[in-house]
Short mmCIF file of all heavy atoms in Angstrom, two decimals:
data_model
loop_
_atom_site.label_atom_id
_atom_site.label_comp_id
_atom_site.label_asym_id
_atom_site.label_seq_id
_atom_site.Cartn_x
_atom_site.Cartn_y
_atom_site.Cartn_z
N ARG A 65 -8.39 10.33 8.25
CA ARG A 65 -8.78 10.05 9.64
C ARG A 65 -8.07 8.82 10.21
O ARG A 65 -8.00 8.65 11.42
CB ARG A 65 -10.29 9.83 9.71
CG ARG A 65 -11.09 11.04 9.28
CD ARG A 65 -12.58 10.81 9.40
NE ARG A 65 -12.99 10.62 10.80
CZ ARG A 65 -14.24 10.35 11.15
NH1 ARG A 65 -15.19 10.21 10.23
NH2 ARG A 65 -14.55 10.20 12.42
N SER A 66 -7.60 7.94 9.32
CA SER A 66 -6.96 6.72 9.82
C SER A 66 -5.84 6.31 8.89
O SER A 66 -5.81 6.66 7.69
CB SER A 66 -7.97 5.59 9.98
OG SER A 66 -8.52 5.22 8.74
N VAL A 67 -4.88 5.54 9.44
CA VAL A 67 -3.72 5.06 8.70
C VAL A 67 -3.61 3.55 8.89
O VAL A 67 -3.72 3.04 10.02
CB VAL A 67 -2.43 5.74 9.22
CG1 VAL A 67 -1.20 5.10 8.58
CG2 VAL A 67 -2.47 7.24 8.93
N ILE A 68 -3.40 2.84 7.81
CA ILE A 68 -3.10 1.41 7.85
C ILE A 68 -1.64 1.24 7.46
O ILE A 68 -1.24 1.60 6.35
CB ILE A 68 -4.01 0.60 6.93
CG1 ILE A 68 -5.45 0.66 7.46
CG2 ILE A 68 -3.54 -0.84 6.81
CD1 ILE A 68 -6.47 -0.01 6.58
N ASP A 69 -0.84 0.73 8.38
CA ASP A 69 0.60 0.58 8.20
C ASP A 69 0.89 -0.90 7.95
O ASP A 69 0.67 -1.74 8.83
CB ASP A 69 1.32 1.08 9.46
CG ASP A 69 2.82 1.22 9.27
OD1 ASP A 69 3.39 0.49 8.42
OD2 ASP A 69 3.43 2.01 10.00
N LEU A 70 1.39 -1.22 6.76
CA LEU A 70 1.63 -2.60 6.36
C LEU A 70 3.05 -3.08 6.66
O LEU A 70 3.41 -4.20 6.31
CB LEU A 70 1.36 -2.74 4.86
CG LEU A 70 -0.03 -2.32 4.37
CD1 LEU A 70 -0.13 -2.45 2.86
CD2 LEU A 70 -1.13 -3.11 5.05
N ARG A 71 3.84 -2.29 7.36
CA ARG A 71 5.24 -2.64 7.64
C ARG A 71 5.32 -3.64 8.82
O ARG A 71 4.38 -3.84 9.57
CB ARG A 71 6.04 -1.40 7.95
CG ARG A 71 6.12 -0.41 6.79
CD ARG A 71 6.87 0.85 7.20
NE ARG A 71 6.19 1.55 8.27
CZ ARG A 71 6.76 2.47 9.05
NH1 ARG A 71 8.04 2.80 8.87
NH2 ARG A 71 6.06 3.08 10.00
N GLY A 72 6.52 -4.21 8.97
CA GLY A 72 6.77 -5.11 10.08
C GLY A 72 7.21 -4.37 11.33
O GLY A 72 7.52 -3.18 11.31
N ASP A 73 7.25 -5.10 12.45
CA ASP A 73 7.61 -4.49 13.75
C ASP A 73 8.99 -3.86 13.71
O ASP A 73 9.21 -2.79 14.31
CB ASP A 73 7.56 -5.55 14.85
CG ASP A 73 6.15 -5.99 15.18
OD1 ASP A 73 5.20 -5.23 14.92
OD2 ASP A 73 5.98 -7.10 15.71
N HIS A 74 9.92 -4.53 13.04
CA HIS A 74 11.30 -4.01 13.01
C HIS A 74 11.34 -2.65 12.32
O HIS A 74 12.04 -1.74 12.75
CB HIS A 74 12.21 -5.01 12.28
CG HIS A 74 13.64 -4.93 12.68
ND1 HIS A 74 14.07 -5.18 13.97
CD2 HIS A 74 14.74 -4.64 11.97
CE1 HIS A 74 15.39 -5.04 14.03
NE2 HIS A 74 15.82 -4.71 12.82
N GLU A 75 10.59 -2.50 11.25
CA GLU A 75 10.54 -1.23 10.54
C GLU A 75 9.91 -0.15 11.41
O GLU A 75 10.37 1.00 11.43
CB GLU A 75 9.75 -1.38 9.24
CG GLU A 75 10.42 -2.25 8.19
CD GLU A 75 9.47 -2.58 7.07
OE1 GLU A 75 8.57 -3.41 7.25
OE2 GLU A 75 9.65 -2.00 5.98
N LEU A 76 8.83 -0.50 12.12
CA LEU A 76 8.17 0.48 12.97
C LEU A 76 9.08 0.94 14.09
O LEU A 76 9.05 2.11 14.48
CB LEU A 76 6.91 -0.12 13.57
CG LEU A 76 5.61 0.11 12.78
CD1 LEU A 76 5.66 -0.61 11.43
CD2 LEU A 76 4.41 -0.38 13.56
N THR A 77 9.92 0.04 14.60
CA THR A 77 10.84 0.42 15.67
C THR A 77 11.89 1.41 15.18
O THR A 77 12.20 2.39 15.86
CB THR A 77 11.53 -0.84 16.23
OG1 THR A 77 10.55 -1.71 16.79
CG2 THR A 77 12.55 -0.47 17.30
N HIS A 78 12.42 1.16 13.98
CA HIS A 78 13.48 2.01 13.46
C HIS A 78 12.95 3.27 12.77
O HIS A 78 13.61 4.31 12.77
CB HIS A 78 14.34 1.23 12.48
CG HIS A 78 15.27 0.25 13.14
ND1 HIS A 78 14.83 -0.96 13.66
CD2 HIS A 78 16.60 0.31 13.40
CE1 HIS A 78 15.85 -1.60 14.19
NE2 HIS A 78 16.94 -0.85 14.06
N TRP A 79 11.78 3.17 12.16
CA TRP A 79 11.23 4.29 11.40
C TRP A 79 9.79 4.55 11.81
O TRP A 79 8.86 4.38 11.01
CB TRP A 79 11.29 3.98 9.90
CG TRP A 79 12.65 3.85 9.33
CD1 TRP A 79 13.80 4.50 9.69
CD2 TRP A 79 13.03 2.98 8.24
NE1 TRP A 79 14.85 4.12 8.92
CE2 TRP A 79 14.42 3.18 8.00
CE3 TRP A 79 12.34 2.09 7.43
CZ2 TRP A 79 15.12 2.51 7.01
CZ3 TRP A 79 13.03 1.41 6.43
CH2 TRP A 79 14.40 1.63 6.23
N PRO A 80 9.51 4.95 13.04
CA PRO A 80 8.13 5.20 13.44
C PRO A 80 7.53 6.38 12.66
O PRO A 80 8.23 7.33 12.33
CB PRO A 80 8.24 5.52 14.93
CG PRO A 80 9.64 6.04 15.09
CD PRO A 80 10.48 5.29 14.11
N ASP A 81 6.24 6.28 12.38
CA ASP A 81 5.55 7.39 11.74
C ASP A 81 5.59 8.62 12.65
O ASP A 81 5.47 8.51 13.87
CB ASP A 81 4.07 7.01 11.47
CG ASP A 81 3.92 6.16 10.22
OD1 ASP A 81 4.90 5.98 9.49
OD2 ASP A 81 2.78 5.69 9.99
N ARG A 82 5.77 9.78 12.03
CA ARG A 82 5.70 11.06 12.75
C ARG A 82 4.39 11.73 12.36
O ARG A 82 4.16 12.04 11.20
CB ARG A 82 6.89 11.95 12.35
CG ARG A 82 8.24 11.37 12.72
CD ARG A 82 9.35 12.29 12.26
NE ARG A 82 10.65 11.77 12.62
CZ ARG A 82 11.81 12.33 12.28
NH1 ARG A 82 11.79 13.46 11.56
NH2 ARG A 82 12.97 11.81 12.62
N LEU A 83 3.55 11.98 13.36
CA LEU A 83 2.23 12.54 13.06
C LEU A 83 2.08 13.99 13.44
O LEU A 83 1.10 14.64 13.06
CB LEU A 83 1.16 11.70 13.75
CG LEU A 83 1.11 10.23 13.32
CD1 LEU A 83 -0.01 9.50 14.03
CD2 LEU A 83 0.95 10.12 11.81
N HIS A 84 3.03 14.54 14.23
CA HIS A 84 3.02 15.97 14.59
C HIS A 84 1.66 16.40 15.14
O HIS A 84 1.12 17.45 14.77
CB HIS A 84 3.39 16.81 13.37
CG HIS A 84 4.76 16.52 12.84
ND1 HIS A 84 5.92 16.90 13.50
CD2 HIS A 84 5.16 15.84 11.73
CE1 HIS A 84 6.97 16.49 12.79
NE2 HIS A 84 6.54 15.84 11.74
N GLY A 85 1.13 15.57 16.03
CA GLY A 85 -0.11 15.94 16.70
C GLY A 85 -1.38 15.62 15.94
O GLY A 85 -2.48 15.87 16.45
N LEU A 86 -1.30 15.03 14.73
CA LEU A 86 -2.50 14.65 14.00
C LEU A 86 -3.26 13.57 14.77
O LEU A 86 -2.66 12.63 15.28
CB LEU A 86 -2.14 14.13 12.60
CG LEU A 86 -1.57 15.12 11.60
CD1 LEU A 86 -1.30 14.41 10.29
CD2 LEU A 86 -2.52 16.29 11.39
N ASP A 87 -4.55 13.72 14.82
CA ASP A 87 -5.40 12.76 15.52
C ASP A 87 -5.83 11.69 14.55
O ASP A 87 -6.93 11.72 13.97
CB ASP A 87 -6.62 13.46 16.13
CG ASP A 87 -7.48 12.52 16.94
OD1 ASP A 87 -6.99 11.44 17.31
OD2 ASP A 87 -8.66 12.86 17.18
#
Side-chain angles (χ1 to χ4, degrees):
R65 299 181 65 182
S66 64
V67 172
I68 293 176
D69 191 335
L70 304 177
R71 297 176 298 162
D73 289 336
H74 206 61
E75 292 169 286
L76 269 65
T77 298
H78 285 77
W79 295 327
D81 280 352
R82 297 178 180 176
L83 299 182
H84 299 288
L86 292 180
D87 184 18

